Amino acid sequence: MISTREIVRPALALFLPPVFVVMIVVPLAEAIIRGHDVLTQFSQLDLPLSLAEPLLLTAGYVIGLSLVRSRLNPSVFRKRWLHLAAGIVSIIVLGVTSVFSQGAHLPWIISACVVAGLVTALMFFGLRTAHRVATANN
């Protein structure tokens, strides 16, 4: 079985960096495409929330991986590209959620971040291992 340290390490080293990069690149690209001042765009961001969202996504990701820890296939879990892709997909899931929750308060935003990370972990590792176990038993 995979240990907690083995779950947290790829979450921090492989999942978190693309989340931070995408959260910086998207507002920057939007400002450049629309012809807005980049510094003004970044000054309008809520800095504590912008730093907390990636950490909350990562917390949800670790929770999701911990839920399926006993069923994780070590060879699949060690594939680096799955963690990188999960980071990018978690931002997309959070973005879609935020479109439908405009004007939400802080508890909703925190919950949405954690759930987006959790759902992404289950999508990439929970469903993948469940399928492999089901086909191995048949």
Side-chain angles (χ1 to χ4, degrees), residues 4-123:
T4 303
R5 177 179 280 170
E6 290 175 312
I7 289 176
V8 172
R9 186 178 297 141
L12 294 177
L14 299 171
F15 178 84
L16 188 59
V19 170
F20 268 120
V21 168
V22 170
M23 289 188 114
I24 290 170
V25 168
V26 169
L28 179 68
E30 181 186 12
I32 291 171
I33 290 171
R34 292 182 184 224
H36 295 141
D37 183 29
V38 175
L39 295 176
T40 305
Q41 182 78 11
F42 278 111
S43 68
Q44 293 175 352
L45 290 175
D46 185 13
L47 187 61
L49 189 59
S50 298
L51 294 176
E53 281 182 349
L55 297 175
L56 290 168
L57 279 169
T58 306
Y61 187 68
V62 169
I63 291 168
L65 291 175
S66 297
L67 289 174
V68 295
R69 176 192 322 201
S70 63
R71 295 178 27 191
L72 284 175
N73 183 345
S75 63
V76 173
F77 185 73
R78 290 187 181 97
K79 292 185 180 179
R80 303 179 94 179
W81 68 271
L82 284 173
H83 297 285
L84 295 170
I88 294 169
V89 169
S90 70
I91 292 293
I92 294 169
V93 169
L94 184 61
V96 170
T97 304
S98 69
V99 166
F100 293 108
S101 64
Q102 290 296 315
H105 296 286
L106 191 58
W108 173 260
I109 295 169
I110 292 170
S111 301
C113 290
V114 172
V115 169
L118 184 127
V119 166
T120 305
L122 295 178
M123 282 185 347

